[in-house]
Amino acid sequence: MKNKHYVTKNKKLIRFLRSIPEKSDHSILIHIIIIFFSKIKKLKKKMVRVSNFVISLVNVLTFMVAMMALGFGLWFKADEAKSLCQKSLYMPLLIFGASLLVLSLMGLIGSCCRASFFLWIYLFFLFMFIVGMICLSIFTILVTNKSVAKALSGKGGNDAKFGDWGNWLEKHVVNDQNWDDIKSCMATFRYCQMIPRGKPADFYKYNLPAAQSSCCKPPTYCGFEFKNATFWTMPKTGPAVPDSDCKTWNNAQNELCFNCRSCKASFLETIQKNWNKMAILNFCVFVFIIIIYSIGCCALRNNRSKGYGPYA
């Protein structure tokens, strides 16, 4: 109704301007105003097309990503010799791919066919995704920032506290069940085979990441003899230090020091450090989703306006 009233009002204004005699002193200005309003009307029609086109383009891309996720998930599921890592990955990939596929189809139908019902559902799920990203950001700050977690964990009385967020990663990531999946993924994707090879003198010059240094070789204080980057031998007299990590080391390429306490500690430390980098990526995705949501709202409003039929 607002669009109809706006168009009617502009038509009346244009008729009034055209009724003014051409010999009037303001005839040139009047013609400029008429041209200006005509351009606005044409621009508005183009903007209607643009918002729907952008939503369609974005959903074509998300459709392709969904098909790739489904393909990888089905491939992991069909592989008879799949590892524990592949078993733990295929179901999340299938769920993610199927959800993204349904969402992209609703967006395509809503934008291309001017189906407001499907576009409304699409925008609803986009809004829920935005809320979810906000909650996820708050949650990750709690579990990765020790100072914030400590401050919140101490709130409340003796019997009521806000939760032990500082140890959440330790309890839920490196527990027995999840750590087996993580170890399998490190072995499946040959994480330790990425370490540069070379002679002992050259090997110690490399500045390895904390996780690789702790999970792919025995602790330096154990005094093991270097053979290659992932093969070390224990001295005949035993390890230099009676530490449990020295006894845990195994030269099997799917074992190494994956069960060492130092490996688990370094893995958690890496997650906490890398979250700062991931936060930048999450913010960019968040801004992108907000922009798409805004354009989707424009497309929904355009769908409800009269005079714009579906396009191929």
Side-chain angles (χ1 to χ4, degrees):
M1 294 297 294
K2 290 182 178 179
N3 292 333
K4 186 176 181 181
H5 175 72
Y6 177 77
V7 172
T8 305
K9 187 177 180 181
N10 285 341
K11 286 182 178 179
K12 289 181 178 179
L13 179 60
I14 291 174
R15 288 195 193 115
F16 168 73
L17 294 173
R18 285 176 175 173
S19 66
I20 299 176
E22 293 184 2
K23 296 182 180 180
S24 173
D25 295 336
H26 303 288
S27 60
I28 297 177
L29 179 61
I30 291 169
H31 284 293
I32 293 174
I33 294 174
I34 293 173
I35 295 172
F36 175 75
F37 279 103
S38 300
K39 294 292 184 180
I40 288 179
K41 188 176 180 181
K42 291 180 181 180
L43 181 62
K44 184 180 177 182
K45 289 183 178 181
K46 289 181 180 180
M47 289 302 295
V48 170
R49 298 283 186 179
V50 169
S51 60
N52 287 73
F53 172 77
V54 171
I55 295 298
S56 300
L57 178 61
V58 169
N59 282 282
V60 168
L61 296 177
T62 54
F63 178 83
M64 295 171 63
V65 173
M67 295 303 295
M68 290 175 61
L70 287 173
F72 278 112
L74 292 174
W75 179 61
F76 284 153
K77 183 176 176 59
D79 188 4
E80 296 181 355
K82 55 181 174 291
S83 64
L84 184 62
C85 177
Q86 291 173 318
K87 290 179 181 178
S88 62
L89 285 178
Y90 86 85
M91 186 55 69
L93 280 173
L94 289 178
I95 294 174
F96 171 76
S99 302
L100 198 61
L101 178 64
V102 173
L103 185 66
S104 61
L105 287 176
M106 286 191 296
L108 283 171
I109 295 172
S111 59
C112 292
C113 302
R114 310 288 188 186
S116 298
F117 175 74
F118 288 98
L119 195 56
W120 187 91
I121 297 176
Y122 172 77
L123 291 175
F124 172 76
F125 281 108
L126 269 189
F127 177 78
M128 295 303 296
F129 184 76
I130 292 170
V131 174
M133 286 196 68
I134 295 173
C135 295
L136 178 63
S137 299
I138 295 173
F139 173 75
T140 48
I141 290 173
L142 289 175
V143 299
T144 58
N145 193 309
K146 292 183 178 180
S147 59
V148 174
K150 186 177 179 181
L152 290 175
S153 297
K155 287 187 176 182
N158 294 329
D159 297 327
K161 293 193 176 183
F162 196 69
D164 188 12
W165 297 103
N167 297 321
W168 190 92
L169 284 176
E170 185 177 353
K171 292 179 180 178
H172 294 83
V173 176
V174 297
N175 56 26
D176 293 337
Q177 180 180 357
N178 292 332
W179 187 247
D180 288 339
D181 295 340
I182 294 171
K183 290 190 302 180
S184 177
C185 288
M186 285 195 286
T188 300
F189 294 104
R190 303 176 66 84
Y191 176 68
C192 292
Q193 277 63 43
M194 300 177 185
I195 298 178
R197 307 287 169 164
K199 297 180 180 180
D202 297 328
F203 177 78
Y204 288 109
K205 293 179 182 179
Y206 298 127
N207 186 18
L208 298 177
Q212 276 189 335
S213 179
S214 300
C215 300
C216 302
K217 70 179 187 65
T220 305
Y221 55 74
C222 294
F224 283 18
E225 184 180 352
F226 174 91
K227 295 298 181 182
N228 62 44
T230 56
F231 193 91
W232 301 68
T233 56
M234 183 185 298
K236 295 181 179 180
T237 56
V241 178
D243 187 83
S244 61
D245 283 358
C246 300
K247 297 178 181 179
T248 304
W249 168 261
N250 192 319
N251 282 313
Q253 295 303 296
N254 60 342
E255 292 289 337
L256 299 178
C257 211
F258 294 158
N259 288 319
C260 296
R261 292 178 304 167
S262 58
C263 177
K264 296 178 181 180
S266 296
F267 186 82
L268 291 179
E269 184 182 355
T270 301
I271 292 176
Q272 292 172 338
K273 286 184 177 179
N274 287 340
W275 174 248
N276 293 329
K277 299 176 183 177
M278 291 298 296
I280 299 175
L281 177 62
N282 287 344
F283 178 76
C284 295
V285 172
F286 179 77
V287 172
F288 176 75
I289 296 298
I290 290 289
I291 294 173
I292 296 301
Y293 180 80
S294 302
I295 296 175
C297 290
C298 293
L300 180 62
R301 184 182 61 186
N302 296 333
N303 286 358
R304 292 176 176 176
S305 63
K306 295 182 179 180
Y308 304 107
Y311 63 94

